[in-house]
Amino acid sequence: MDNTFKENELLYRAVYPPEKNKFFWKDENHISSAVFLDKKGVSVERGNFRSDKTVVENMKQTFIGKIISLTAGICFKVNARLLYKPTKRSIYHSEIHGSETRILLSPSQRRFLASNCNILKNEA
């Protein structure tokens, strides 16, 4: 893997369940834009065209809560920057940044991403 993301590649993010952190949820079926608020960069797992089931099972080993997914193309639509940043924990770790020069996503970028992601049925 490298820093090249295809439009249809899925990105996954673990989100605390509503009972643990209501700040991340509008209601039980809709996340808030706060899910994409992180001044260090929004951590995601690259799908690398693995199945949802495989990704969720892998994420369950480290995270609790619900898993959301969105495509790299959704990030490109708001000019967000995707960075491949593997860690000791995960070779799939990546980050979403606001732009080439800004780590934090703008409020409009966060709202757009939140309204264009999917909440997976499997929980981590």
Side-chain angles (χ1 to χ4, degrees):
M1 281 183 289
D2 60 19
N3 222 25
T4 304
F5 292 79
K6 294 188 178 186
E7 292 256 341
N8 62 339
E9 183 173 3
L10 287 172
L11 307 171
Y12 299 84
R13 182 160 171 80
V15 181
Y16 282 125
E19 58 274 8
K20 181 141 173 107
N21 191 332
K22 291 182 183 184
F23 186 63
F24 293 137
W25 296 90
K26 288 183 178 182
D27 59 46
E28 64 184 39
N29 296 312
H30 299 93
I31 62 165
S32 78
S33 62
V35 168
F36 295 101
L37 178 62
D38 192 325
K39 62 184 175 185
K40 294 184 265 178
V42 176
S43 290
V44 293
E45 290 288 297
R46 282 184 89 156
N48 196 39
F49 301 98
R50 297 173 291 157
S51 71
D52 286 348
K53 181 180 179 185
T54 299
V55 174
V56 170
E57 285 176 358
N58 184 267
M59 291 178 77
K60 280 182 181 181
Q61 296 174 16
T62 309
F63 302 105
I64 62 165
K66 297 186 181 265
I67 304 294
I68 62 168
S69 68
L70 67 157
T71 64
I74 294 296
C75 296
F76 299 153
K77 282 186 179 184
V78 291
N79 297 314
R81 182 168 185 218
L82 298 175
L83 299 169
Y84 175 52
K85 297 182 90 171
T87 63
K88 290 180 185 177
R89 180 194 55 76
S90 174
I91 63 167
Y92 300 103
H93 181 264
S94 298
E95 290 180 2
I96 305 171
H97 289 197
S99 71
E100 292 280 332
T101 58
R102 182 176 33 86
I103 294 173
L104 193 63
L105 290 159
S106 71
S108 62
Q109 286 175 312
R110 294 192 302 264
R111 282 191 302 273
F112 186 81
L113 296 181
S115 65
N116 285 281
C117 67
N118 296 307
I119 300 169
L120 302 181
K121 292 182 182 177
N122 300 336
E123 292 193 16

